[in-house]
Amino acid sequence: MGRYYSGDIEGKFWFGLQQSNAADRFGSIGQDPCYLEYWFDNEHLEEIEEEILNIESSLGDKLQMIEQFFLDNNGYTVDALAKHGITNNELSDYADLQLGIKIRDCVKQQGQCSFNAEV
């Protein structure tokens, strides 16, 4: 069982790592007690891009290491991450980065992006 988001973009939050309100990082605040409702448009694009760059900068060289890890593996365990020197915080940032990229791409393609996130 997992928590999903759906709407203009769809996906599943990373279990035990990514909070339902992860999209708050990108400039819109989720609404609703059972679901967080998000809506982004071109006015949010600068903030979205800025947070994507912040996360990429924060991860630094680890970004490429994490990307390679997932090219080589279908999943992860704490032990497997530790062997590659990847922390839970870094993986959480990576999960948020993937969400931010989906939001950005959706806004660029459609001029807006809205979705509901399970709490």
Side-chain angles (χ1 to χ4, degrees), residues 13-14 17-19 21-23 25-26 51-52 55 90-103:
F13 291 107
W14 291 43
L17 205 69
Q18 192 174 31
Q19 297 181 9
N21 67 347
R25 281 179 92 150
F26 301 97
E51 187 59 20
I52 287 171
I55 295 170
E90 291 163 339
L91 193 60
S92 178
D93 279 347
Y94 180 74
D96 288 354
L97 176 62
Q98 300 309 302
L99 176 61
I101 290 169
K102 283 184 177 182
I103 294 168

Side-chain angles (χ1 to χ4, degrees), residues 38-87:
Y38 288 98
W39 185 80
F40 298 88
D41 66 7
N42 287 316
E43 290 182 18
H44 294 100
L45 200 51
E46 184 177 334
E47 190 170 355
I48 295 166
E49 294 278 11
E50 184 177 312
E51 187 59 20
I52 287 171
L53 289 174
N54 286 340
I55 295 170
E56 289 174 340
S57 176
S58 172
L59 288 173
D61 294 337
K62 290 286 181 106
L63 178 57
Q64 186 175 6
M65 183 184 299
I66 295 168
E67 288 174 338
Q68 186 61 51
F69 177 85
F70 284 107
L71 286 174
D72 297 339
N73 299 280
N74 282 339
Y76 67 93
T77 65
V78 173
D79 290 339
L81 292 173
K83 286 179 186 177
H84 287 83
I86 302 168
T87 68

